[in-house]
Amino acid sequence: MAPKQKFAEGEKVLCFHGPLIYEAKCLKSSVTKDKHVRYLIHYAGWNKNWDEWVPESRVLKYNEANVQRQKEVQRAHSAQPAKTKKTPAKGRKSESAATATPGKEEAATPAGKDAETPAAGKASKTSSKDAPADSGSDQPKKKRGRLDLSIESEEQYLAKVEVKIKIPEELKVWLVDDWDVITRQQKLAILPAKLTVEQIVDNYLAFKKSSKTHNQAKESVLVDITEGIKEYFNATLGSQLLYKFERPQYSEILQEYPDTPMAQIYGAIHLLRLFSKMGPMLAYTALDEKSLQHVLTHIQDFLKYMVTNRSTLFNLQDYGNATPEYHRKVQ
């Protein structure tokens, strides 16, 4: 028997996209092979290119209580401290705090303005909010063709095409759960992680080396890509990938491990947050289009690896309760 559908085609609804809630419309509905209902959602006021299929769990009835919930979530999101932002190119839309809407950034991410969003379906569009903060001397230098984090000029940026990184559905659910555990339940990732970013990346490299199609030329490229991922992570964690609730913990980690790269402390979920934001970040690098596509191919392959190994990479037991003292620091 087909499951009963809560929403009708053409019905005005509210829909989660990352941590935020947006006014939307159900265009179509369908039932998957495993008997789950999903809806084709159109976000009000946005181009149909941003329409996406979402599970029923992300859709809310459009009523007074849920509209109030939408406003409360938006206020909490807007309360996050703003970071240095790039001015969006003329003619490109940018999201204001008052009218935050999905669509333009693939991000409405769990992590508010600190860790703007994981892809909730569509590939990301670049915008000012997604621009990486200029971390100056903290940015790793370009090495042996690795990812170059240098910021380009506005003219160079305007000539770029938008950069899309598709987060697999199997991983999106972990981004949503992560947002809920940190921001609503106010728990913290247990650090150092049992399996760190550096170990995960090194394990991926070892896995690729064991492939029958692997050769010395591919190994050189793989080493550059994997080292670039570590560098990106170390350079952007503090400014891009943390929720407000995690910042005191980050400060404590810096004091306790002053000479340790963060890729040796944090784990899979923070690495996944990086990939959810990396599309807009890559739009600001000096990579040419061919090199960029090459990098994106490897990133998507890495995400497939994370999907295959998600049972060992992600676990809700990897979070712990914050102490009363910690809660006082956050306030």
Side-chain angles (χ1 to χ4, degrees):
M1 179 184 292
K4 184 178 180 180
Q5 298 180 12
K6 295 181 181 179
F7 307 97
E9 293 183 7
E11 181 177 350
K12 182 179 181 180
V13 296
L14 293 170
C15 184
F16 274 98
H17 184 91
L20 300 178
I21 303 172
Y22 306 97
E23 184 179 322
K25 181 180 181 180
C26 284
L27 300 180
K28 296 179 183 178
S29 61
S30 70
V31 180
T32 63
K33 292 180 180 179
D34 52 358
K35 303 299 183 182
H36 289 134
V37 179
R38 60 178 193 154
Y39 299 91
L40 180 61
I41 290 294
H42 172 72
Y43 295 102
W46 292 95
N47 189 290
K48 65 181 181 180
N49 290 337
W50 296 110
D51 295 354
E52 62 175 341
W53 286 96
V54 305
E56 193 169 69
S57 60
R58 278 177 51 191
V59 188
L60 302 171
K61 284 288 184 183
Y62 190 93
N63 55 36
E64 186 176 345
N66 285 332
V67 169
Q68 184 60 34
R69 181 180 177 185
Q70 177 193 31
K71 293 177 181 177
E72 290 172 357
V73 168
Q74 177 58 47
R75 278 197 294 270
H77 179 83
S78 300
Q80 302 288 342
K83 302 186 299 295
T84 303
K85 301 177 181 178
K86 285 267 182 182
T87 303
K90 184 177 181 181
R92 291 177 184 255
K93 299 177 182 176
S94 61
E95 172 177 308
S96 69
T99 59
T101 313
K104 4 186 167 169
E105 292 81 36
E106 169 175 17
T109 327
K113 292 189 178 179
D114 289 321
E116 291 320 340
T117 7
K122 288 292 178 184
S124 50
K125 286 231 176 199
T126 51
S127 85
S128 62
K129 188 174 70 173
D130 294 306
D134 186 353
S135 53
S137 59
D138 292 334
Q139 289 186 337
K141 304 301 180 184
K142 188 174 182 180
K143 301 175 185 176
R144 296 172 49 224
R146 293 177 192 161
L147 300 179
D148 181 4
L149 302 189
S150 59
I151 303 301
E152 61 186 1
S153 69
E154 184 176 5
E155 289 74 18
Q156 290 173 309
Y157 168 66
L158 288 173
K160 289 277 187 182
V161 294
E162 66 187 57
V163 179
K164 302 178 181 181
I165 293 178
K166 181 174 175 59
I167 304 297
E169 293 292 335
E170 298 91 338
L171 299 182
K172 287 180 190 176
V173 296
W174 282 104
L175 286 168
V176 174
D177 285 349
D178 173 57
W179 174 85
D180 182 79
V181 169
I182 299 293
T183 62
R184 190 180 66 81
Q185 300 179 41
Q186 296 198 320
K187 293 185 177 183
L188 293 167
I190 298 172
L191 301 174
K194 293 178 183 176
L195 195 60
T196 67
V197 169
E198 184 164 294
Q199 290 171 324
I200 295 166
V201 173
D202 289 346
N203 288 346
Y204 168 75
L205 180 59
F207 165 74
K208 297 300 290 185
K209 285 181 178 180
S210 67
S211 170
K212 293 180 180 179
T213 61
H214 183 74
N215 56 46
Q216 202 62 38
K218 288 184 178 180
E219 180 171 335
S220 177
V221 174
L222 274 170
V223 169
D224 287 342
I225 293 293
T226 52
E227 288 301 310
I229 290 172
K230 294 177 192 177
E231 291 172 359
Y232 247 86
F233 186 84
N234 290 328
T236 60
L237 175 71
S239 63
Q240 302 275 327
L241 307 181
L242 298 175
Y243 295 105
K244 180 181 178 182
F245 189 72
E246 296 175 293
R247 292 197 170 280
Q249 181 191 39
Y250 176 65
S251 297
E252 292 170 1
I253 289 293
L254 289 177
Q255 291 178 1
E256 189 172 354
Y257 302 93
D259 302 316
T260 304
M262 291 298 101
Q264 295 178 18
I265 302 291
Y266 285 78
I269 193 62
H270 289 85
L271 177 59
L272 185 55
R273 290 187 203 173
L274 171 67
F275 287 131
S276 75
K277 287 180 60 66
M278 192 177 274
M281 289 179 184
L282 290 174
Y284 280 78
T285 64
L287 293 170
D288 59 46
E289 190 169 348
K290 183 177 180 180
S291 299
L292 185 58
Q293 290 305 317
H294 192 62
V295 169
L296 290 174
T297 298
H298 282 282
I299 289 174
Q300 294 296 166
D301 186 70
F302 197 110
L303 288 168
K304 288 180 183 178
Y305 171 83
M306 294 185 79
V307 169
T308 302
N309 294 277
R310 62 189 183 280
S311 61
T312 57
L313 293 176
F314 305 104
N315 193 324
L316 292 178
Q317 299 303 313
D318 293 335
Y319 298 89
N321 293 319
T323 64
E325 181 184 3
Y326 185 90
H327 279 278
R328 285 192 291 271
K329 289 181 181 179
V330 177
Q331 293 174 353

